Amino acid sequence: MKVVICGAGLVGTSIAQHLASENNDVTVVEQDYSLVRRIGETLDVRSIYGHASEPDILEQAGAREADMLIAVTFSDEINMVACQVAHSLFEVPTKIARIRRPGYLKPIWGDLFSRENMPIDVIISPEREVARAIGRRLHVPGGFDVVPMAGGLVSVVGVRCAEDCPIINTPIKQLTQLFPDLNIVIVGIIRNDKGIVPKSNDHMLPGDDVYFICDSTHLNRAMATFGHEEEEGRSVIIAGGGNIGLTLAEEIEQEHAGVRSRVIEFDEDRAKSVAQQLDQTMVLNGDVLDMEILEEANISNTETFVAVSNDDEVNIIGSLLAKRAGAKRTIALINKHSYAQLINTLGIDAVVNPRMITVSSILQHVRRGRIRGIYSVREDFGEIIEAEAHETSSLVGKTLRDSDLPTGVIIGAIIRGEDILVPRGNSVIQKHDRIVLFTTYEAVKRVEKLFAVRVDFF
């Protein structure tokens, strides 16, 4: 597949790295020459210096032969114009744009991005995606990662094993015997910052981060199995009133009935603006690193503190101060991967990485085969994929034991209609089943082929 990526920032570089490692033909366009040189030296991609919205530059990047254009520059306007030029002049089949300013995304302007006006096939809003990701963590306070799949029928959860976790040092194969009615499959373990695809004889240790896939109706029981029975938080402090903080506050007002939230914003004018846009949320103007402001926000009686400013250091230090002042749970937005690796030792409960959330959203539309959903589990480990088994798939009609699944792939759930089936060795996949699985990045291409529709079917 030939892909043109506009923008060599963190998101553009991550997308280019993923696609290049899977032998796609990737060209990156960037107007910062230092980024052009860096990406050309570190990745097996073409890099072109220039403005991504200019026709000459896009033609030089190969837009005329491209299957897809992904516009993730720092400018919404450049992203939109690049998609328009790709459509009008080069007939690129699929255009994806990152749009950050909420003014472009209001429902009243829903026709703006129609094919007749500004033809963008997929719009990615990092602010909305991050706000939703944090909202899901509020629902399941014991999980550091919570992702719904199959229309919410299945949940993918990341949970940390504490010293008192009831199932540490228990071989995974024994969990079925201990909890025969619990629909849960452990698909990944992160230990000492290294991803492990678990085998039946493996067991979990204190400090492990574990990813499991379960029937959503069994989620509370699954969390209790890991020793997490925390109740959903009813009070939230949001540190940072930028686009993410505002979107999260709006999400809480609309989707979390009974949850009381407060926003702390440093800039006085921005604080006034945010207060005017919220109906049920108190907005405080001040420095989140000032204990007086935290006390004014009633931090000692707050269940969840969420730091989403545009400064990683402020988010980390603010979360530590909030924890010390009495907040039961802290969530910090971290952009730098090197910082995220320190979180376990610092005592922050969960990290939200906007780059990885955005990358997951984009990859969902890049993967081939009948892929319905994707979530990236660290950029060096693998992906959770939801896919539909077409009747031409080599999986259909065979037991999982005889399916010759690629190394690094674990099937976590089979969805047949509204029924959730726990995969066993003698399970047989039928046509139109939806499969939720984990795959390492090395096996992604083979997974795509498993769910591809053969040409001779048509």
Side-chain angles (χ1 to χ4, degrees), residues 231-236 301-305 327-330:
E231 295 183 358
E232 181 178 351
R234 312 310 292 175
S235 60
V236 179
N301 294 313
T302 295
E303 289 163 312
T304 307
F305 177 89
K328 295 180 179 63
R329 176 174 169 79
T330 54

Side-chain angles (χ1 to χ4, degrees), residues 37-57:
R37 184 174 57 186
R38 186 192 67 185
I39 200 168
E41 292 173 348
T42 57
L43 299 180
D44 184 19
V45 302
R46 291 179 63 214
S47 55
I48 292 178
Y49 172 68
H51 288 268
S53 56
E54 293 184 9
D56 288 347
I57 297 297

Side-chain angles (χ1 to χ4, degrees), residues 256-270:
H256 298 258
V259 176
R260 184 180 70 257
S261 62
R262 296 176 174 86
V263 175
I264 301 175
E265 168 55 38
F266 182 79
D267 183 86
E268 183 177 359
D269 291 338
R270 178 63 184 177

Side-chain angles (χ1 to χ4, degrees), residues 9 28 38 72 75 110 124 155 165 196 202 208 282 298 312 346 380 446:
V28 179
R38 186 192 67 185
V72 288
S75 167
I124 304 296
S155 294
C165 175
I196 301 170
D202 288 336
D208 284 353
M282 177 186 292
N298 198 21
D312 284 1
L346 293 176
D380 59 351
R446 292 190 63 188

Side-chain angles (χ1 to χ4, degrees), residues 2 28 33 37-38 43 55 95 115 149 154 204 244 261 326 336-337 340 349 384 392 423 430 440 454:
K2 293 187 176 181
V28 179
Y33 186 74
R37 184 174 57 186
R38 186 192 67 185
L43 299 180
K95 286 83 58 185
R115 190 172 183 83
M149 289 276 187
V154 170
M204 291 161 285
I244 292 177
S261 62
K336 296 179 182 177
H337 180 64
D349 297 291
I384 305 291
T392 62
Q430 300 178 7
T440 60
R454 294 203 305 266

Side-chain angles (χ1 to χ4, degrees), residues 7 44 57 63 97 149 190 224 252 265 276 289 298 324 341 358 370 385-386 419 442:
D44 184 19
I57 297 297
M149 289 276 187
I190 299 173
I252 291 174
E265 168 55 38
Q276 292 172 354
L289 303 184
N298 198 21
R324 176 172 293 183
Q341 296 173 331
T358 305
R370 300 181 73 95
I385 292 179
E386 176 193 344
D419 296 328
E442 291 79 8

Side-chain angles (χ1 to χ4, degrees), residues 287-298:
D287 186 352
V288 72
L289 303 184
D290 184 342
M291 284 303 300
E292 290 186 5
I293 289 294
L294 291 178
E295 290 170 1
E296 184 180 348
N298 198 21

